[in-house]
């Protein structure tokens, strides 16, 4: 994590603010625990033993560095820029989520916490957390909206196999945001022995910065790998954005490299105009939810409303506060892709390159399909292939009318 | 003098403690709330905490969550809560009203607009659960400038430093959350509460209200023995939930609970 220190960009400030965004908007009972977490993190992020253990786990357990793959056939077919894929789908448990889960679990162990809790939407973060908890012998409770429990049966079973207790959350819209509320309630009640592993770059400070720092391994590796492969920086980065952890992990090490364009892709669901979407940055407005100020999808009175996306991992009414800042500052551009476009990209990559991407990552791929043809063949676009598509077989089959 | 300061001064002069009920506005119907508030005042409550329903009440237990969901289904929002306060004020110009809720509805309305509107309809205090003083540099002065007391929470794990901060930033009263947990959870530990309230008192002359876990008249009496105010929320909402099909019974049960609490608190030293 030390290479990060070379950056000019130094958000957030000490209080966790990215301009007007971020911060610590939590009930009093959580103020002390998040302060303790911040202190522990500040200490261990500079601790050589901690960093060595993290590096070792990322290498031998997760399988890092994940390769970068030049999708030559697909690039040729699209007829424009060269598309490279950062293969986070090849990590243990099949997505980028494990990078952060390992980091936070090691932190929990250092802090003497014996119980881990987490929220999950699609189940990828829940699986990553349950995996790490199993390995470290920590008790693990995962909160998941009852709607998601029903549509992600396999991941629920996987978490249970790993020894986690999956709690189905029936309040509110019964999805990711409600799972997060419930995890917060658990944390408030059990702060003494419990560590809350948040899965995305949201929540109160220090979570957005802490999760980001564990995910920047994606961008740091990419920079080095591309240097070796093509000898220069990419022209554009593309990543999907729900909460935004894989995107910030890719973007952050490139923020000072102003020649590199950054595109965050939000899920437009049935289309922004239908109201059934998760386009938080593109169609929401700033407010406060889950401990930070950021863009939100809410009604005129500030009540959070239900979002929609074919990919459960992007189905969230908020977004990491750093993305809100990158949007306002103009450093990153946020675009959106519908369910249909994402599925089209899902098929394209599967058939052209023999790689089955997660539906979340398919949103990033779909934008690459739009962007690459507008660029010349000597340009380079790096797409974060944040997860593999095994978990989405049911969703895609159902769309085709195929019963598995 | 503000209504809250006046109320606590009167109570203190007569050696009594404040009974502070919490109800979610618009639960289970918008029509139910204002008459209930008047009836609660008649039953002897001193300050009313009026809940502003929010879709994601992170600090609340299942009872108040359900109440918020019922109210939102009925179309409740911050604008309508302010109208309710205005309506209540037509019949009661002395009982302090404290709005309790989460920040996002206020962010969406705009701090300045909210402060002006709340002051105009007769709101006396605002307790925003997820707005710690660190984030309230603009908010607190705005509320104070229109005569509204910003009320802050203190918890069992609040450090000395934070107690000082709340004492400095807050006014009206301080709300001590008696247990680590969500509203309506468990039972509070009297000895712990006593100790913490004494610690808080070393740093402030503000009255201390204690809530989270006050379930019945016995607890109300015990808490009245150690603090200046007793906050009761989930126990009231439970009565509403249990009688959701018979709202006159719901109201009757709420009033019976509060009357018993009032009596127990006032007889605290006569046992």
């Amino acid at each position: 994590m030390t290479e990060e220190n070379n950056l000019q960009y130094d958000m957030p400030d000490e209080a966790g603010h990215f301009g007007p965004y971020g911060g610590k908007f939590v009930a009093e009972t959580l103020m002390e625990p998040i302060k303790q977490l911040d202190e522990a993190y500040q200490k261990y992020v500079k601790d050589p033993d901690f960093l060595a253990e993290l590096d070792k786990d990322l290498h031998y357990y997760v399988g890092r560095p994940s390769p970068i793959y030049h999708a030559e056939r697909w690039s040729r077919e699209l007829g424009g820029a060269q598309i490279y894929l950062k293969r986070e789908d090849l990590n243990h448990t099949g997505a980028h989520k494990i990078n952060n889960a390992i980091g936070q679990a090691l932190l929990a162990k250092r802090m003497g916490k014996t119980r881990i809790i987490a929220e999950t939407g699609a189940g990828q973060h829940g699986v990553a957390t349950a995996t790490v908890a199993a390995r470290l012998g920590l008790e693990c409770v995962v909160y998941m909206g009852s709607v998601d429990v029903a549509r992600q049966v396999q991941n629920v079973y996987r978490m249970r196999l790993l020894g986690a207790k999956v709690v189905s959350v029936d309040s509110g819209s019964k999805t990711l945001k409600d799972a997060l509320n419930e995890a917060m309630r658990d944390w408030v009640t059990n702060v003494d022995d419990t560590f809350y592993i948040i899965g995305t770059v949201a929540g109160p400070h220090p979570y957005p910065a802490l999760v980001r720092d564990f995910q920047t391994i994606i961008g740091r590796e990419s920079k080095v790998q591309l240097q070796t492969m093509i000898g220069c920086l990419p022209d554009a980065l593309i990543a999907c954005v729900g909460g935004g952890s894989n995107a910030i992990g890719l973007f952050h090490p490139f923020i000072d490299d102003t020649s590199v364009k950054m595109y965050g892709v939000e899920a437009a669901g049935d289309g922004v105009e239908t109201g059934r979407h998760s386009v938080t940055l593109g169609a929401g407005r700033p407010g406060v939810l889950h401990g930070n100020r950021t863009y939100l999808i809410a009604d005129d009175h500030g009540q959070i409303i239900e979002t929609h996306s074919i990919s459960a991992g992007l189905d969230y009414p908020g977004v990491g506060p750093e993305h809100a800042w990158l949007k306002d500052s103009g450093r990153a551009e946020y675009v959106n892709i519908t369910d249909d476009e994402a599925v089209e990209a899902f098929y394209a990559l599967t058939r052209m390159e023999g790689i089955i991407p997660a539906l979340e990552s398919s949103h990033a791929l779909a934008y690459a399909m739009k962007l690459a043809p507008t660029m010349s063949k000597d340009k380079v676009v790096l797409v974060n292939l944040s997860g593999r598509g095994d978990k989405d077989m049911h969703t895609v089959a159902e769309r085709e009318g195929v019963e598995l | 003098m503000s209504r809250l300061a006046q109320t606590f001064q009167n109570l203190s002069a007569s050696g009594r403690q404040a009974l502070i009920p919490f109800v979610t506005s618009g639960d289970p119907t918008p029509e139910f709330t204002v008459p209930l508030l008047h009836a609660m005042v008649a039953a002897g409550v001193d300050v009313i905490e009026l809940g502003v329903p929010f879709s994601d009440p992170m600090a609340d237990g299942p009872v108040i969550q359900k109440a918020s969901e019922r109210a939102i289904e009925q179309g409740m929002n911050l604008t309508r809560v302010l109208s309710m306060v205005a309506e209540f004020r037509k019949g009661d110009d002395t009982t302090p009203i404290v709005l309790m809720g989460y920040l996002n509805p206020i962010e969406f309305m705009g701090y300045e607009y909210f402060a002006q509107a709340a002051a105009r309809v007769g709101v006396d205090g605002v307790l925003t659960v997820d707005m710690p003083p660190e984030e309230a540099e603009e908010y607190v002065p705005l509320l104070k400038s229109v005569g509204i007391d910003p009320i802050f929470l203190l918890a069992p794990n609040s450090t000395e430093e934070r107690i000082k901060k709340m004492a400095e930033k807050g006014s009206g009263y301080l709300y001590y959350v008696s247990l680590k947990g969500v509203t309506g959870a468990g039972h509070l530990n009297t000895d712990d509460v006593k100790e913490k309230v004494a610690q808080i008192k070393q740093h402030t002359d503000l009255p201390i209200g204690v809530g989270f876990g006050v379930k019945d008249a016995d607890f109300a009496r015990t808490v009245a023995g150690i603090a200046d105010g007793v906050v009761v929320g989930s126990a009231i909402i439970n009565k509403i939930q249990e009688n959701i099909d018979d709202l006159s019974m719901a109201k009757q049960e709420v009033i019976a609970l509060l009357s018993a609490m009032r009596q127990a608190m006032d007889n605290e030293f006569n046992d």
Side-chain angles (χ1 to χ4, degrees):
Chain A
M1 300 196 180
T2 41
E3 292 152 61
E4 286 292 296
N5 298 341
N6 301 329
L7 281 183
Q8 296 281 309
Y9 172 88
D10 63 350
M11 292 282 185
D13 67 16
E14 242 174 65
H17 293 123
F18 300 88
Y21 304 110
K24 292 185 243 192
F25 294 90
V26 293
E28 177 61 16
T29 318
L30 285 180
M31 288 303 283
E32 190 55 25
I34 61 177
K35 184 172 155 232
Q36 286 170 6
L37 174 62
D38 195 22
E39 285 165 0
Y41 180 59
Q42 296 304 336
K43 177 180 161 195
Y44 290 115
V45 77
K46 297 184 205 95
D47 177 57
D49 288 345
F50 177 83
L51 294 174
E53 189 177 358
L54 179 62
D55 280 351
K56 193 176 150 204
D57 278 359
L58 289 174
H59 183 64
Y60 292 103
Y61 192 66
V62 177
R64 304 206 69 93
S66 66
I68 283 183
Y69 169 73
H70 182 193
E72 279 183 82
R73 183 164 176 240
W74 197 37
S75 302
R76 207 161 45 237
E77 162 91 8
L78 291 169
Q82 301 308 304
I83 299 176
Y84 287 75
L85 307 174
K86 178 62 172 165
R87 299 290 308 273
E88 291 298 301
D89 60 319
L90 294 177
N91 293 340
H92 180 40
T93 71
H96 72 290
K97 293 290 184 188
I98 190 93
N99 302 331
N100 165 57
I102 286 221
Q104 289 199 52
L106 292 181
L107 205 51
K109 210 176 79 174
R110 289 286 204 288
M111 290 175 75
K113 306 286 183 184
T114 54
R115 183 172 173 270
I116 298 288
I117 57 170
E119 86 294 338
T120 198
Q124 290 306 99
H125 173 58
V127 168
T129 303
T131 298
V132 176
R135 178 165 169 266
L136 296 177
L138 299 166
E139 183 190 345
C140 181
V141 179
V142 179
Y143 291 92
M144 191 168 183
S146 57
V147 168
D148 292 332
V149 167
R151 64 181 170 182
Q152 300 288 339
V153 183
Q154 287 206 8
N155 270 344
V156 172
Y157 184 64
R158 202 167 287 161
M159 287 184 267
R160 289 188 173 139
L161 272 179
L162 289 159
K165 181 178 165 202
V166 179
V167 179
S168 176
V169 177
D170 249 333
S171 56
S173 61
K174 307 174 176 50
T175 56
L176 177 57
K177 78 174 176 72
D178 310 284
L180 215 151
N181 291 336
E182 209 55 37
M184 284 278 184
R185 291 179 187 119
D186 180 316
W187 199 29
V188 165
T189 311
N190 302 295
V191 288
D192 295 332
D193 68 346
T194 298
F195 190 104
Y196 179 15
I197 300 189
I198 293 188
T200 192
V201 284
H205 180 70
Y207 281 106
L210 181 160
V211 175
R212 173 197 72 196
D213 290 349
F214 286 130
Q215 291 294 2
T216 54
I217 184 90
I218 302 171
R220 282 182 282 125
E221 281 178 5
S222 297
K223 235 177 173 173
V224 176
Q225 290 166 316
L226 282 181
Q227 190 60 44
T228 310
M229 294 172 79
I230 59 171
C232 62
L233 290 167
D235 297 287
L237 305 174
I238 304 179
C240 64
V241 176
S245 68
N246 89 80
I248 213 78
L250 178 65
F251 293 175
H252 189 260
F254 291 93
I255 287 180
D256 286 344
D257 302 307
T258 49
S259 70
V260 181
K261 289 207 163 111
M262 308 195 294
Y263 298 95
V265 186
E266 297 190 293
D270 292 342
V272 175
E273 68 290 347
T274 65
R276 285 174 47 77
H277 63 81
S278 306
V279 182
T280 310
L281 289 163
R285 55 178 273 200
V288 169
L289 180 70
H290 294 153
N292 68 95
R293 183 180 285 118
T294 186
Y295 281 77
L296 299 175
I297 298 180
D299 69 14
D300 291 344
H301 299 284
Q303 309 290 5
I304 308 305
I305 48 184
E306 256 176 81
T307 51
H308 170 78
S309 168
I310 189 170
S311 66
L314 302 182
D315 206 347
Y316 178 63
V319 64
E322 192 161 16
H323 286 294
W325 170 249
L326 291 174
K327 172 196 154 81
D328 283 12
S329 69
R331 178 63 189 93
E333 194 179 323
Y334 294 87
V335 296
N336 57 75
I337 284 293
T338 63
D339 286 356
D340 289 345
E341 291 169 321
V343 170
E344 194 191 328
F346 172 92
Y347 286 122
L349 193 73
T350 302
R351 304 264 165 88
M352 296 296 296
E353 298 287 353
I355 298 172
I356 304 180
L359 285 172
E360 286 78 8
S361 321
S362 298
H363 287 73
L365 295 165
Y367 190 68
M369 284 173 76
K370 288 187 176 179
L371 184 68
T374 68
M375 298 165 74
S376 61
K377 286 178 184 165
D378 58 340
K379 301 284 182 190
V380 170
V381 172
L382 178 65
V383 180
N384 197 7
L385 188 52
S386 56
R388 67 180 183 220
D390 305 39
K391 69 180 175 59
D392 296 314
M393 291 300 101
H394 270 276
T395 310
V396 176
E398 201 174 294
R399 250 180 110 87
E400 290 182 348
V402 175
E403 207 174 312
L404 295 184
Chain B
M1 189 181 280
S2 75
R3 285 191 197 95
L4 273 170
Q6 186 69 59
T7 299
F8 278 103
Q9 194 184 65
N10 294 348
L11 283 164
S12 165
S14 60
R16 295 162 75 239
Q17 291 75 36
L19 176 57
I20 311 175
F22 167 96
V23 290
T24 300
S25 40
D27 171 41
T29 69
E31 297 72 34
F32 184 71
T33 305
V34 174
L36 177 68
L37 303 187
H38 287 306
M40 293 196 303
V41 174
V45 311
D46 304 288
V47 176
I48 292 169
E49 287 184 356
L50 191 56
V52 181
F54 179 50
S55 53
D56 294 78
M58 277 185 350
D60 285 299
V63 174
I64 294 178
Q65 284 175 49
K66 280 275 180 302
S68 297
E69 286 177 18
R70 286 193 295 264
I72 291 170
E73 271 168 35
Q74 296 280 323
M76 267 327 277
N77 57 50
L78 183 52
T79 306
R80 293 186 67 183
V81 173
L82 292 174
S83 309
M84 274 184 183
V85 177
E87 196 189 330
F88 173 77
R89 280 279 168 255
K90 286 181 198 160
D92 186 328
D93 198 33
T94 54
T95 309
I97 295 268
V98 172
L99 296 189
M100 182 164 180
Y102 295 80
L103 186 58
N104 201 49
I106 298 172
E107 285 256 327
F108 270 49
M109 183 174 272
Y111 292 170
E112 177 107 43
Y113 183 95
F114 168 72
Q116 297 289 343
R120 201 165 49 238
V121 298
V123 168
D124 302 285
V126 178
L127 198 170
T128 315
V129 178
D130 52 352
M131 177 64 128
E134 286 84 347
E135 301 286 356
E137 274 175 25
E138 181 193 348
Y139 183 63
V140 163
L142 257 176
L143 292 179
K144 286 187 172 169
S145 74
V146 294
I148 292 179
D149 290 312
I151 291 160
F152 286 107
L153 298 170
L154 282 166
N157 57 357
S158 297
T159 57
E160 196 93 3
E161 183 194 340
R162 292 194 65 74
I163 295 172
K164 285 181 193 159
K165 190 175 275 179
M166 306 298 179
E168 182 202 320
K169 298 268 186 172
S171 60
Y173 60 98
L174 290 172
Y175 185 140
Y176 178 59
V177 174
S178 63
L179 44 82
K180 290 180 196 164
V182 292
T183 51
H187 275 294
L188 56 90
N189 178 317
T190 314
D191 290 339
D192 291 351
V193 173
K194 198 171 183 171
E195 199 178 307
K196 196 73 184 186
V197 170
Q199 187 196 2
I200 297 168
K201 288 263 181 195
Q202 287 173 4
H203 299 285
T204 184
D205 294 328
L206 287 173
I208 314 294
V210 171
F212 280 42
V214 180
K215 288 185 168 24
D216 54 28
D218 278 348
F219 260 92
R221 175 180 17 223
T222 310
V223 173
I226 39 187
D228 306 296
V230 180
V231 186
V232 53
S234 295
I236 292 178
I237 305 216
N238 260 328
K239 297 290 180 200
I240 296 174
Q241 196 169 306
E242 284 162 13
N243 297 283
I244 201 96
D245 298 324
D246 183 351
L247 292 185
S248 73
M249 179 58 83
K251 187 168 156 188
Q252 217 172 307
E253 292 267 324
V254 170
I255 298 308
L257 174 71
L258 289 170
S259 301
M261 286 182 162
R262 175 83 269 169
Q263 205 175 359
M265 287 164 62
D266 289 351
N267 291 336
E268 174 203 344
F269 301 111
N270 303 334
D271 277 0

